[in-house]
Amino acid sequence: MDDPEAPAFQRARRPEQRELRRQEILVAAEALLGEMPAEKISLRELARRLGVSKTHVVRYFETRDGVFLGLLERMRLAWIEDLAGEWPVPPCEPGQVMRAWADSLAARPVLCQLWSLLPSVLERNVSAEAVHTYKLSYQEHRARLAKAVGERVPALREEDAIRLTDYAVVVLVGLWPFGDPPPAVVEATADPRLASSRVDFASMYGEMLGTMLAGLLARRHADDTRSPREMADEGR
């Protein structure tokens, strides 16, 4: 049950007031995620941090995972807006860009944690409307990220820059849990015999981004050097 003594938000009547309440909830959720893993955070805990009842949080986000989905969107946009100051300025080596990409995400563990939970948790406990809104926002963010990559790796075709951003998300979702293990795994892998099972997220992610980029560039080169006959044969 809600805490009967918890004060309520002042009811938001205008769109800008509702957005302010939403941002207050997201700020509180981000603070909690800096203290404990997502699975330990409930709507009740979030409401307690805000000093309100759970009912008032639900007015703005339908579920806890709806809060996290909104926070993922907010943090991803902030990351993209910071890239100009964190990534190398063109002209630059493609490998530098991939390493900077990996380092910039490794420096944002809450963002990585939320992104890694997207397909298995966050999208499974929200409405179709919430998922639709999120995915429209993601398309805009993906386009901005791909543009930033393309400006620094001009040999990469526009469609391949988009493809690389999609690959990068899939790899992050799979890799982050290995790079951010629970205490029991950290303790177990302290054994020198298990050193090879420890995952340095930034290092491995940067290497994987570089490998994917090299493959896309090699395919571009192969396409550019095909003869007209080869292209005609392929079209048959």
Side-chain angles (χ1 to χ4, degrees):
M1 295 179 63
D2 291 342
D3 181 352
E5 297 183 359
F9 278 139
Q10 182 179 354
R11 183 178 293 277
R13 302 186 183 280
R14 297 194 300 272
E16 59 270 23
Q17 292 175 326
R18 288 189 59 82
E19 181 58 25
L20 178 61
R21 300 294 180 270
R22 285 174 56 87
Q23 293 303 318
E24 290 171 349
I25 293 169
L26 295 179
V27 169
E30 183 176 353
L32 281 172
L33 283 165
E35 300 169 10
M36 62 184 77
E39 62 268 21
K40 293 186 179 296
I41 299 174
S42 64
L43 277 179
R44 184 169 288 106
E45 179 65 31
L46 181 57
R48 186 177 299 116
R49 173 62 61 97
L50 287 161
V52 301
S53 69
K54 186 174 77 171
T55 301
H56 293 284
V57 178
V58 175
R59 281 189 184 141
Y60 302 94
F61 293 95
E62 54 193 9
T63 63
R64 180 207 68 163
D65 294 330
V67 176
F68 289 160
L69 198 63
L71 182 58
L72 170 56
E73 180 180 350
R74 180 178 186 265
M75 296 188 74
R76 186 181 58 229
L77 177 59
W79 168 61
I80 291 171
E81 290 178 339
D82 287 343
L83 292 183
E86 297 183 15
W87 283 17
V89 177
C92 50
E93 291 296 322
Q96 286 183 288
V97 181
M98 299 302 102
R99 288 191 295 273
W101 188 339
D103 289 343
S104 67
L105 282 172
R108 294 168 170 82
V110 173
L111 172 59
C112 291
Q113 180 187 175
L114 290 173
W115 223 335
S116 73
L117 294 173
L118 178 64
S120 61
V121 178
L122 303 190
E123 291 185 334
R124 295 177 181 270
N125 191 31
V126 294
S127 66
E129 180 182 0
V131 173
H132 182 259
T133 299
Y134 169 81
K135 289 190 176 297
L136 287 175
S137 171
Y138 171 70
Q139 286 187 343
E140 294 178 6
H141 294 177
R142 178 182 63 173
R144 290 182 61 176
L145 179 58
K147 183 175 184 292
V149 175
E151 289 171 347
R152 291 162 175 80
V153 189
L156 192 64
R157 291 179 293 203
E158 183 177 349
E159 63 269 26
D160 284 338
I162 290 287
R163 189 171 287 113
L164 180 60
T165 64
D166 286 339
Y167 292 169
V169 172
V170 174
V171 171
L172 185 151
V173 168
L175 182 61
W176 177 256
F178 292 101
D180 184 42
V185 175
V186 173
E187 181 179 349
T189 55
D191 185 336
R193 294 172 296 177
L194 297 176
S196 62
S197 66
R198 302 175 204 142
V199 173
D200 181 319
F201 173 80
S203 176
M204 186 173 290
Y205 191 56
E207 182 179 343
M208 296 172 85
L209 288 172
T211 300
M212 292 186 292
L213 174 62
L216 290 169
L217 291 174
R219 185 167 65 182
R220 163 73 185 273
H221 177 72
D223 288 346
D224 289 346
T225 55
R226 283 186 303 169
S227 68
R229 181 172 181 175
E230 289 174 324
M231 296 176 66
D233 289 343
E234 185 176 299
R236 289 176 182 172

